[in-house]
Amino acid sequence: MEHLGNRAALQRAQPVTAPLVQALARAVRKNVCTPIGIGFSGGIDSTLLAQVCHREECTFMLYTVGFPGAKDILAAQTIADVMDWPLTIKVLTYEHMEPLLRNVMRVTGKRDPVSVSIGYVAASLASVAQEDVLLTGFGPEEPSSANVNITLGHHFGKEMRFPFLDPEIPRMMGEQRKDIFRQAAVALGIPREFAFRTPCAVPDGSGVDAAIAALAREQGVEKHAYLSRLSAL
């Protein structure tokens, strides 16, 4: 198996991505114990993270959560099949959703739909994962999301780690970072159609935001009002 430090692998990368590839390899080595779980949405961040772990010969399991037909589930299954990666899918349902939503808000102190949706996914991942350590692909522009994951991970007895927050990795923000990550992914053997998949945020890709909206409509209120009312129960 070809390691990330291999000269041939680095030569396939664009010059701007080569330092990133090396930094990713070091970050994974520092953050990984085996076996590990990886929160996997099928987006560029988690796909690149999975490929780095694969090339570093880590023992890992991918975990994807979402409602039936969610974009993340469809993407994750497709990529995992092609790359021959192990994948566990947790299909979410409306049953027992409100108790977990309340728990997420109680533990994190968050009430806004985006944070609560991200927290709901994190809590669902932590509840299904068998490993003690979970990696996610949150980057330096997503500190709030990372903090929500850390808080809920501790609550469920898991340690959440974020290799892309390692100080060695260049602080490439926004679309520039994503573009460079895509170049690195292709250079490391990810098919272009996966590396350049249209971005989809966690609340939308998992279907959790739509589920919260549906519950809010049942009560005739907006999402913010619904979550505030639910948190007070």
Side-chain angles (χ1 to χ4, degrees):
M1 184 175 293
E2 183 181 49
H3 285 259
L4 287 179
N6 187 288
R7 186 183 300 271
L10 294 178
Q11 287 176 342
R12 286 199 299 272
Q14 297 290 333
V16 70
T17 68
L20 173 63
V21 170
Q22 294 172 317
L24 287 172
R26 290 191 294 270
V28 164
R29 294 187 201 112
K30 286 190 288 185
N31 282 278
V32 163
C33 59
T34 57
I36 56 168
I38 300 175
F40 189 64
S41 68
I44 180 56
D45 294 327
S46 58
T47 298
L48 179 58
L49 180 57
Q51 181 69 332
V52 172
C53 289
H54 172 73
R55 286 181 170 269
E56 287 297 306
E57 299 184 331
C58 304
T59 299
F60 65 87
M61 172 63 70
L62 303 179
Y63 292 97
T64 304
V65 302
F67 282 85
K71 296 176 183 178
D72 284 358
I73 289 181
L74 298 176
Q77 186 69 73
T78 300
I79 296 171
D81 286 347
V82 171
M83 303 302 294
D84 195 26
W85 291 336
L87 172 67
T88 296
I89 294 175
K90 178 179 176 63
V91 179
L92 303 175
T93 67
Y94 284 90
E95 185 180 9
H96 306 309
M97 186 176 183
E98 289 192 334
L100 185 54
L101 284 173
R102 281 197 296 270
N103 199 19
V104 166
M105 289 187 284
R106 179 182 61 82
V107 171
T108 65
K110 301 291 186 180
R111 301 290 184 272
D112 64 284
V114 172
S115 295
V116 173
S117 295
I118 290 172
Y120 193 91
V121 170
S124 299
L125 285 172
S127 68
V128 72
Q130 299 298 308
E131 298 78 11
D132 293 329
V133 175
L134 291 174
L135 306 184
T136 77
F138 288 118
E141 73 276 22
E142 302 166 301
S144 178
S145 298
N147 288 336
V148 167
N149 274 250
I150 290 171
T151 301
L152 286 164
H154 286 164
H155 179 74
F156 285 95
K158 305 294 182 182
E159 182 180 353
M160 299 289 198
R161 297 183 183 177
F162 313 92
F164 294 164
L165 292 179
D166 189 279
E168 284 195 71
I169 296 177
R171 300 302 184 183
M172 302 167 183
M173 305 298 289
E175 287 305 308
Q176 182 185 15
R177 181 179 75 86
K178 298 288 187 181
D179 288 343
I180 294 174
F181 271 23
R182 292 186 181 100
Q183 293 175 30
V186 171
L188 294 174
I190 298 295
R192 289 187 63 84
E193 62 267 30
F194 299 153
F196 285 83
R197 175 196 172 201
T198 301
C200 191
V202 170
D204 296 325
S206 63
V208 172
D209 184 71
I212 292 174
L215 292 173
R217 284 196 300 271
E218 289 180 359
Q219 297 190 15
V221 296
E222 298 295 327
K223 290 182 292 185
H224 283 85
Y226 166 73
L227 290 174
S228 294
R229 182 182 298 178
L230 184 64
S231 67
L233 295 178

